[in-house]
């Protein structure tokens, strides 16, 4: 197979490789193609640059005061009382009890590792999907992620998207039967989060599409009235 003969597939695989969602045998096969295909390496580098800029769009989060307090306690712990001054109910703090303290610490660490693993398993059980939406020339302009854990449909702009002042972009899920479902209005060429509708990722969804519509969205409840500018299919993470 010559991947260079299928630009749409090459761009999709390059995006998944840059995102880290291309795994196993598919990733190894893709890396073999990368060694021999300069244009494919350029696609990957282009995607890595696009995705790097998306991180700058995320809003910084200020940690709660208790986090800083916990860091201070760890950096500057209070001195432990001596055996003579410690009350009997604080026996575990004395030198005589240190072996038991080590065992308790080891047990706590084991429980922490188990909790982290269980959390990771629970999160992994919640499927996530991603779609790269491209124009007719296979140029990817937007990346849509279905985050089922947070109930968000994340739309990230990966390239310049020109939207006339009197128009808006509307996101659709197109079923295998060809029936469009509106998923929301996009704010011009800016990244945004929409509420995740279960109909966006249903098993009958064939692809996602973005149309150019009048302000406020398509006046036809049955589907787009303007041209479809971008489209792409879901890929499971």
């Amino acid at each position: 197979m010559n991947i260079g003969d299928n630009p749409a597939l090459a761009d999709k695989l390059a995006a998944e490789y840059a995102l880290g969602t291309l795994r196993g045998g598919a990733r190894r096969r893709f890396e073999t193609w990368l060694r021999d295909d300069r244009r494919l390496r350029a696609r990957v580098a282009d995607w890595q640059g696009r995705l790097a800029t998306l991180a700058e769009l995320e809003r910084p989060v200020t940690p709660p005061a208790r986090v800083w307090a916990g860091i201070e306690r760890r950096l500057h712990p209070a001195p432990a009382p001596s055996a003579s001054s410690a009350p009997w109910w604080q026996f575990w703090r004395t030198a005589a009890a240190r072996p038991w303290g080590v065992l308790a610490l080891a047990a706590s660490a084991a429980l922490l590792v188990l909790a982290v693993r269980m959390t990771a398993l629970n999160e992994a059980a919640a499927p996530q999907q991603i779609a790269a939406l491209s124009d007719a020339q296979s140029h990817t302009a937007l990346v849509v992620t279905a985050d089922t854990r947070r109930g968000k449909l994340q739309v990230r702009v990966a390239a310049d998207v020109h939207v006339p002042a009197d128009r808006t972009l509307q996101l659709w899920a197109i079923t295998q039967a060809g029936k469009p479902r509106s998923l929301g209005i996009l704010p011009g060429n800016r990244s945004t989060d929409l509420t995740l509708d279960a109909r966006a990722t249903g098993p009958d969804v064939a692809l996602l599409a973005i149309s150019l519509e009048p302000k406020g969205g398509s006046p036809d409840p049955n589907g787009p009235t303007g041209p479809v500018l971008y489209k792409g299919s879901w890929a499971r993470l």
Side-chain angles (χ1 to χ4, degrees):
M1 172 184 176
N2 185 359
I3 195 171
D5 296 335
N6 192 334
L9 177 60
D11 195 63
K12 182 176 184 295
L13 292 176
E16 293 185 14
Y17 183 82
L19 282 166
T21 58
L22 193 65
R23 300 170 182 166
R27 187 177 184 88
R28 291 191 294 272
R29 184 164 58 252
F30 185 81
E31 288 174 339
T32 300
W33 291 334
L34 273 181
R35 288 195 294 269
D36 303 323
D37 194 328
R38 178 177 55 82
R39 290 178 300 176
L40 192 57
R41 291 196 297 271
R43 285 181 183 269
V44 171
D46 180 56
W47 262 106
Q48 290 171 335
R50 295 182 192 179
L51 295 172
T53 61
L54 294 182
E56 300 176 0
L57 300 174
E58 296 297 329
R59 290 174 293 182
V61 178
T62 302
R66 66 177 182 276
V67 174
W68 293 117
I71 293 174
E72 286 291 336
R73 286 194 299 271
R74 293 182 183 181
L75 290 176
H76 308 289
S82 63
S84 59
S85 63
W88 65 268
W89 64 84
Q90 293 185 357
F91 164 79
W92 61 273
R93 289 190 174 184
T94 66
R98 282 175 187 167
W100 300 103
V102 171
L103 290 176
L105 182 60
S108 298
L111 288 174
L112 178 60
V113 170
L114 179 60
V116 169
R117 288 183 177 177
M118 291 300 295
T119 301
L121 287 175
N122 290 336
E123 290 184 350
Q128 286 186 293
Q129 299 186 68
I130 189 168
L133 305 189
S134 306
D135 60 17
Q137 288 74 42
S138 300
H139 297 146
T140 300
L142 300 102
V143 178
V144 181
T145 305
D147 188 339
T148 55
R149 291 191 292 270
R150 295 195 303 157
K152 297 290 186 181
L153 197 63
Q154 301 173 326
V155 183
R156 298 294 179 261
V157 176
D160 290 334
V161 178
H162 175 67
V163 182
D166 61 339
R167 298 287 175 174
T168 192
L169 298 178
Q170 189 164 355
L171 179 63
W172 306 84
I174 311 298
T175 69
Q176 295 173 1
K179 182 179 179 180
R181 299 169 179 164
S182 177
L183 302 180
I185 305 298
L186 306 183
N189 61 351
R190 292 182 289 109
S191 299
T192 189
D193 288 350
L194 303 173
T195 301
L196 178 60
D197 188 326
R199 301 178 307 157
T201 57
D204 62 337
V205 174
L207 56 87
L208 299 182
I210 291 180
S211 65
L212 185 65
E213 301 293 342
K215 283 290 187 181
S218 173
D220 186 351
N222 296 317
T225 58
V228 173
L229 304 180
Y230 309 103
K231 59 185 178 180
S233 302
W234 284 121
R236 190 174 296 274
L237 297 178

